[in-house]
Amino acid sequence: MIISKRPELKKLKHIKHEIIKDELGVFKDFVDVMEDKVNLDIFYYKHVDIRFINEINHRHLGVCLAEYVPLKRTILYSEDNFKESIMHELFHVASTLVGKDTIYLGLCHIDRKTKVSYGIGLTEGVTCLLDDKYFCNYTKSKKDVVGNSYFLLKRVCSYIEMIYGSDFIEECYFNADLQTFINVLANDIGLEDVHILMCALDNMHAAHLGCLKGFFNSIKATKVLFDNFNVVLRVIEKMYYKNIYENLLNGNISKSEFDNAIGYLRELVGQQVKSTIIPYYSRRISDSEFDDIADGVKNEVLLKRKLKEM
């Protein structure tokens, strides 16, 4: 799928930065917290005529608590869990633009003709991360209801945020700017590894959703989920190691700070995650494999520096 820059939002005179209709009271709650974070042009443009449909019998929602449907400007929801799930969907509303051929959904592109998506795993992970960060206490029962939604995707996105910072992640997300996100990561680890990361996250999303909707059983879904998580961890190590190694070479951190960071990274990628469904674990990165990846990153960094000096 070709990743293109999203179209610029046309400034429409009748779109004002004000809440026009908020019968359920959730838009105000969202804006009160997120006004300084979101792209208000995108948010209010989408907010104007959005519809809320209570799918009380779940015939369209299936196992989902709620769902934003961009082409219909509709949020489907279950009355039982409306407050617990609605902020997740408003994050989607605040980060989505619909183009002629492509839906730009946060850090995901969806081809309108083929329905093929690229980046849906990343987008859902970041959305869960933001929902947890800004609205974790929106209701007393929220953590119990949605606490484990896309838990591995959220964990991976927290690692990416740790390396690149929340400002960068949120700016790309709320501006539906996947192209910039990919370019920045590719400058560090190469386009091939970025593509590996994106595809693995999409596979994790498919496994999670496929299991919930009954497309395949929990054993297969768990193995797909954890095997792709293992792939992601190796890319994360490259990202993190390159970042701290360049900081060491540039004199931004001391040798002891570098060693402490490496110790943390070894612990992070060496942890095993246990499935709560079946007796299945993620495969930890061994010390020897860790060193092989680190040596590869070092060689790449030093080679680039040498070429610049020539």
Side-chain angles (χ1 to χ4, degrees), residues 9 31 47 73 76 96 100 144 150 185 212 221 253 265 279:
L9 182 67
V31 171
H47 159 260
R73 294 194 176 188
L76 305 176
T96 299
K100 180 181 178 181
D144 295 330
Y150 299 122
L185 267 64
L212 289 178
I253 60 175
L265 179 60

Side-chain angles (χ1 to χ4, degrees), residues 65 80-81 84-85 139 141-149:
L65 296 177
D80 293 342
N81 300 116
E84 286 75 20
S85 60
T139 69
S141 60
K142 181 163 184 172
K143 289 183 180 179
D144 295 330
V145 175
V146 300
N148 290 324
S149 297

Side-chain angles (χ1 to χ4, degrees), residues 4-9 37-42 91 94-97 104-109 167-180:
S4 59
K5 184 178 180 180
R6 70 156 174 83
E8 293 298 322
L9 182 67
K37 296 286 186 180
V38 303
N39 183 323
L40 293 176
D41 286 335
I42 293 178
F91 276 113
S95 60
T96 299
L97 281 175
Y104 302 86
L105 180 72
L107 297 172
C108 173
H109 284 189
D167 288 345
F168 168 71
I169 301 296
E170 292 180 16
E171 184 175 357
C172 291
Y173 176 88
F174 286 121
N175 286 285
D177 192 0
L178 176 60
Q179 186 180 53
T180 295

